[in-house]
Amino acid sequence: NANLAPFRASQFDFAVEHYMGDSGLVSAALFWKEVDSFITNETKPEEVADQSGFTTGPVTRPVNGDGGNIKGFELGAQYAFDNGFGFIGNYTYSDSESPTESDLNSDLPIPGVAKNAFNGQVYYEGFGFDARLSYTWRDKSFERIFGFSDGAAGARAFEVWTARRTDRLPGVPELQADT
């Protein structure tokens, strides 16, 4: 769609990191983003051709978003122990505002921006293999306006668990098993 504007934002980030030797890190960051444009989806009733002529039905299309701002913070930590075990984790809080509104809601957030998100991983590396267990969680978020009743639709919170093992055999390329 040639009428879609690119994603544009002015932003400020401030981060502090503390390194623990070669093995670890703790970090904290503040961020502020003034979003000028973004692309979102909008569902509106439109006439579409069918076997009987035309029918009015829902059509979802990408459209230009109205801009807005996002402010928040991130916290992170990682550490690799001497015995091959380690962990990585981060948390992000994002508060967004946009001029988007509906008949039922005003001051809706920027679509797709969840207030809370967390990622964590524990791992082991040694004896010819790596094993990792990862967890990702993201809070619900606003996604788009439905043009039928001007109601707002959102994405549910979701979580994902991932387990991975990589074996290193002498003289054999790496084999991986993801679940």
Side-chain angles (χ1 to χ4, degrees):
N1 183 342
N3 294 322
L4 292 176
F7 285 79
R8 287 197 183 109
S10 300
Q11 60 189 37
F12 172 80
D13 294 274
F14 176 78
V16 177
E17 298 175 342
H18 174 71
Y19 293 89
M20 296 170 279
D22 294 334
S23 302
L25 156 78
V26 290
S27 64
L30 298 173
F31 59 86
W32 172 82
K33 302 172 190 301
E34 188 66 37
V35 180
D36 300 318
S37 63
F38 60 89
I39 298 170
T40 186
N41 288 315
E42 181 178 67
T43 302
K44 287 190 166 186
E46 291 186 21
E47 281 193 356
V48 292
D50 65 7
Q51 308 88 310
S52 61
F54 288 93
T55 298
T56 300
V59 175
T60 301
R61 290 205 164 102
V63 296
N64 291 315
D66 295 325
N69 64 61
I70 306 169
K71 57 185 178 258
F73 65 89
E74 300 172 333
L75 302 172
Q78 64 183 50
Y79 197 82
F81 298 99
D82 291 335
N83 61 4
F85 286 94
F87 70 88
I88 302 169
N90 65 52
Y91 168 77
T92 303
Y93 173 82
S94 301
D95 184 28
S96 73
E97 299 173 345
S98 77
T100 304
E101 58 183 35
S102 71
D103 290 343
L104 306 173
N105 301 288
S106 61
D107 298 323
L108 290 166
I110 292 177
V113 177
K115 274 212 188 272
N116 300 286
F118 171 79
N119 297 291
Q121 182 179 92
V122 292
Y123 64 87
Y124 175 79
E125 297 176 346
F127 295 106
F129 75 95
D130 301 344
R132 297 178 181 272
L133 178 63
S134 303
Y135 175 74
T136 299
W137 175 82
R138 181 178 160 170
D139 209 353
K140 65 184 179 186
S141 63
F142 163 69
E143 290 301 314
R144 67 178 177 267
I145 297 287
F146 281 107
F148 294 101
S149 65
D150 273 343
R156 292 184 211 168
F158 74 88
E159 63 182 345
V160 176
W161 285 94
T162 305
R164 176 180 177 157
R165 178 183 168 137
T166 304
D167 292 295
R168 289 183 303 280
L169 303 172
V172 177
E174 286 189 4
L175 303 173
Q176 297 180 357
D178 292 332
T179 58

